[in-house]
Amino acid sequence: LYSLRLLLILINIDQETVLNWFGVETATKFSTTAESLDKYNLHKANIESKLSPALSVETLKLIIISLWQQVQDGLTLTDIENIIFFLVFLRFIILIFRYNVKTSIYITCIGLCAGYLWYRHLIDVILMYRQMLVKVPYFQRLGASAIELESSSQAILTTDLKLGSEIHWYNPGKLLYYAFIKGIIQTDSETGLKYYIDPISMILSNLNETRKAQILPTYYKIYNIIIPRFFQTISEFWNQLSGIAAYAIITRIGKRYCPYLIRWHWTFLLIIGFVEQILIYFLYRLMYFQEVVIQEKLSIAAENNYFDPNLLLQFNLSTGLLTFCITLHLGAIFFGLLHAIWGQYFYFPFLVENTELHIGPRPKNSIYSGGQTAWQDEKQKNVPGQLPKLWYGWFGSGTSDIWIFSSFKQVLVNNIKKLFRK
């Protein structure tokens, strides 16, 4: 905590610093005007400098305006990351005034970890939809970002030219692997040859020629054949089981040390993964039907100077359905991402009940457990004859008895009771 205070003292945190950190171009310029009376009175020159102002409400306004201008023409992965970090920063400042710096750091890091899970899931879904996103006007830039990300990932795997330069913050495993590989390999600047500088290779380089002749065949076999094959096998197993293994270790075995907020959102993501597969493969089939079946028939009709309005209607309907489903799916993920980084919960029928069957109710006596879960409070009351609710308010805060559909709901219940009495 004291090192953080020292860091805050050493860094000049003004409006320009914060705007530069968010990538916002500031119009603040340093202007110097000098008026010399004569060559003997230069010390009377008036030098005016317009310094960068301190943090204020204007700083927050500039950040919001800049982010809004960036997302008007469509989102990219960079825009999404900027929005995430802005919301995390804003929540961090709010929590400082509500609690203290130490507690604010803990709560913000917990929310950031939960948001990281949603953001990784968002990237996976965007990569699956990358060809479809081009058809949605607002998501075209997002689709281009997904295609670029996929291409760069394939280039790194096949050519290995940009090791470490294209690794993102949300992929810590690959970041550590490339850091280790770069650390044990040295490239000669003159010849371009690569040398291993790990301890085993350095010990072997100091052996005499007789020992080298005996050991080097085994050494090269281990380094060039056995280790790469072993790593490839482990990588395939890891790609298949890493998610479940990490979930089981962190949220099951280490649930005592894992905050409830992370366990709740992680379990919810695993459960909705089974439901999402149905929607994703349905959209795959719909896109195949549109591009292969309908598009081919439209091409044949155009070659024969024939126009079929039914084919055009089917094409437009499939495009509209694709746009609606993708927007709804991505909107739901953004909704969960927003709740996660702000340390909140939300209710969705059936899925939330299954989530909480695995991890239990929220501990209300801890400030690190996140926001409110009004559905848990109502279910603990166990009121008989009460109709199930589909909405529990924003951020799970609950809804009052007087809501927009209360009159309609009461009339419907009364009519049903009268019908059964007759």
Side-chain angles (χ1 to χ4, degrees), residues 55-338:
L55 291 177
S56 62
V57 181
E58 186 68 22
T59 306
L60 181 62
K61 181 180 178 181
L62 290 174
I63 295 174
I64 295 175
I65 292 175
S66 176
L67 292 176
W68 175 249
Q69 290 176 352
Q70 292 179 10
V71 304
Q72 278 183 340
D73 297 330
L75 289 170
T76 63
L77 289 176
T78 305
D79 297 332
I80 296 174
E81 292 177 6
N82 290 336
I83 294 174
I84 291 174
F85 285 118
F86 168 71
L87 294 176
V88 170
F89 174 76
L90 182 62
R91 186 177 186 237
F92 174 73
I93 298 300
I94 294 174
L95 291 175
I96 287 179
F97 291 102
R98 184 175 182 181
Y99 300 107
N100 52 61
V101 177
K102 183 179 178 180
T103 305
S104 177
I105 292 175
Y106 289 161
I107 298 177
T108 304
C109 289
I110 292 172
L112 188 61
C113 292
Y116 166 81
L117 299 173
W118 280 95
Y119 186 67
R120 286 292 307 176
H121 182 70
L122 175 65
I123 291 177
D124 294 337
V125 173
I126 289 174
L127 289 176
M128 294 179 186
Y129 286 155
R130 60 185 182 273
Q131 300 297 336
M132 307 179 198
L133 290 174
V134 183
K135 297 180 178 293
V136 183
Y138 187 75
F139 292 136
Q140 287 180 353
R141 295 180 62 195
L142 187 60
S145 298
I147 294 173
E148 182 180 356
L149 179 62
E150 180 71 14
S151 301
S152 62
S153 301
Q154 292 296 330
I156 290 175
L157 292 175
T158 55
T159 62
D160 206 25
L161 292 178
K162 297 181 179 179
L163 282 178
S165 61
E166 297 294 335
I167 305 303
H168 297 277
W169 61 272
Y170 49 79
N171 204 337
K174 189 178 292 185
L175 183 64
L176 293 175
Y177 168 72
Y178 284 139
F180 175 75
I181 294 298
K182 283 294 186 181
I184 66 173
I185 297 177
Q186 183 179 10
T187 304
D188 193 340
S189 59
E190 297 180 357
T191 62
L193 298 176
K194 294 183 179 180
Y195 302 95
Y196 288 105
I197 56 174
D198 60 284
I200 298 176
S201 301
M202 296 175 69
I203 292 173
L204 290 177
S205 64
N206 293 324
L207 297 177
N208 54 42
E209 297 299 330
T210 305
R211 288 290 184 89
K212 284 184 179 180
Q214 296 175 353
I215 299 177
L216 282 180
T218 306
Y219 166 79
Y220 284 119
K221 184 177 181 180
I222 293 175
Y223 268 71
N224 297 332
I225 299 177
I226 297 178
I227 292 180
R229 289 183 180 178
F230 177 77
F231 178 78
Q232 182 180 3
T233 304
I234 294 298
S235 298
E236 292 178 357
F237 277 102
W238 178 254
N239 291 332
Q240 297 294 327
L241 302 175
S242 59
I244 299 297
Y247 172 80
I249 294 173
I250 296 175
T251 65
R252 290 294 187 176
I253 300 175
K255 65 179 181 180
R256 180 179 178 183
Y257 309 100
C258 183
Y260 182 84
L261 180 74
I262 298 176
R263 290 189 286 124
W264 192 94
H265 283 279
W266 202 342
T267 306
F268 187 85
L269 281 171
L270 288 179
I271 293 176
I272 66 171
F274 298 102
V275 181
E276 284 179 322
Q277 296 300 319
I278 301 174
L279 176 62
I280 291 172
Y281 284 107
F282 166 73
L283 295 181
Y284 278 164
R285 299 303 300 174
L286 182 61
M287 186 175 179
Y288 178 84
F289 174 74
Q290 183 190 55
E291 293 185 347
V292 177
V293 179
I294 301 179
Q295 189 73 36
E296 184 177 355
K297 291 182 178 180
L298 286 174
S299 301
I300 295 174
E303 292 176 357
N304 298 328
N305 295 326
Y306 172 71
F307 176 74
D308 189 353
N310 293 327
L311 291 177
L312 185 59
L313 178 62
Q314 292 179 17
F315 185 87
N316 293 331
L317 287 177
S318 59
T319 302
L321 185 59
L322 276 171
T323 303
F324 173 77
C325 292
I326 292 175
T327 304
L328 181 65
H329 190 188
L330 294 182
I333 296 177
F334 282 125
F335 182 77
L337 175 60
L338 173 65

